[in-house]
Amino acid sequence: MTSRTTSTSHLLSQIPLLASPHISLPSAVTLPYSYQTLPHGLPPPSTGSGAGEGYIVSPSGAVSQTPEAVQHSIHTLLSHIQSERSEAEEAWNTWERGIQERELMEKRRVAPGWLDTGVTILEPARAGGAGGREDMRAAGMVDEAQDSASTEEGNQLDQVFGKMAV
């Protein structure tokens, strides 16, 4: 072991030590004249004979209560906190339900009737064309008067804007 110690000290002796101007060694602290040591034991009990036996006295001595009164005030405070918490949770749930309802109304506005049915894929109905109009006429959704009026409107639009190829 001695050979290791000498080799380590030999290595350490080769490293130069510099004193930094930014680092100062710790110095002794001067205590104030009003310094008092902390007591080694426990402080006197708060249930002293000053306000009567069985009372809890505040450190200032201004308030004294029985332990039952302290327990009652704690239970009252706990019940108040629990009621406040339940009201806050109810308000939170109402707020979240409102958000979900607004999102659902927005979705229904974009795709009316889609969310109310079990259909998961939207398929556009063929508008115009002989097959679509004939199917609607056969189902009784379009009567002859509407059909002739829409055909007449279509012809007028074709005259004004030119015929569109479908």
Side-chain angles (χ1 to χ4, degrees):
M1 266 203 178
T2 56
S3 65
R4 247 183 170 188
T5 311
T6 57
S7 67
T8 307
S9 61
H10 175 64
L11 291 174
L12 288 176
S13 65
Q14 294 177 3
I15 299 173
L17 296 176
L18 298 176
S20 173
H22 302 291
I23 298 175
S24 61
L25 295 175
S27 59
V29 177
T30 307
L31 296 175
Y33 291 109
S34 62
Y35 175 76
Q36 295 178 355
T37 59
L38 294 174
H40 294 288
L42 294 174
S46 62
T47 56
S49 60
E53 199 61 44
Y55 281 86
I56 298 174
V57 181
S58 68
S60 65
V63 179
S64 64
Q65 289 184 336
T66 63
E68 292 82 19
V70 172
Q71 286 179 345
H72 176 69
S73 65
I74 288 172
H75 289 299
T76 305
L77 181 61
L78 281 175
S79 65
H80 174 70
I81 289 173
Q82 289 172 347
S83 66
E84 288 289 321
R85 182 177 180 171
S86 64
E87 289 175 9
E89 286 177 353
E90 185 177 327
W92 177 271
N93 292 335
T94 304
W95 178 68
E96 283 185 339
R97 276 194 307 272
I99 290 174
Q100 290 172 352
E101 288 174 5
R102 284 192 297 273
E103 288 176 353
L104 183 62
M105 293 305 294
E106 178 65 20
K107 289 175 184 175
R108 283 190 173 142
R109 187 183 67 79
V110 171
W114 181 63
L115 295 173
D116 300 327
T117 62
V119 178
T120 56
I121 299 176
L122 293 177
E123 293 182 16
R126 294 186 181 252
R133 189 56 94 175
E134 292 299 324
D135 291 340
M136 291 174 71
R137 187 178 301 129
M141 297 172 73
V142 177
D143 60 350
E144 291 295 325
Q146 279 183 327
D147 193 27
S148 63
S150 64
T151 306
E152 187 177 320
E153 275 183 19
N155 290 336
Q156 289 175 356
L157 289 172
D158 286 344
Q159 287 175 355
V160 173
F161 295 107
K163 193 159 187 159
M164 303 284 289
V166 178

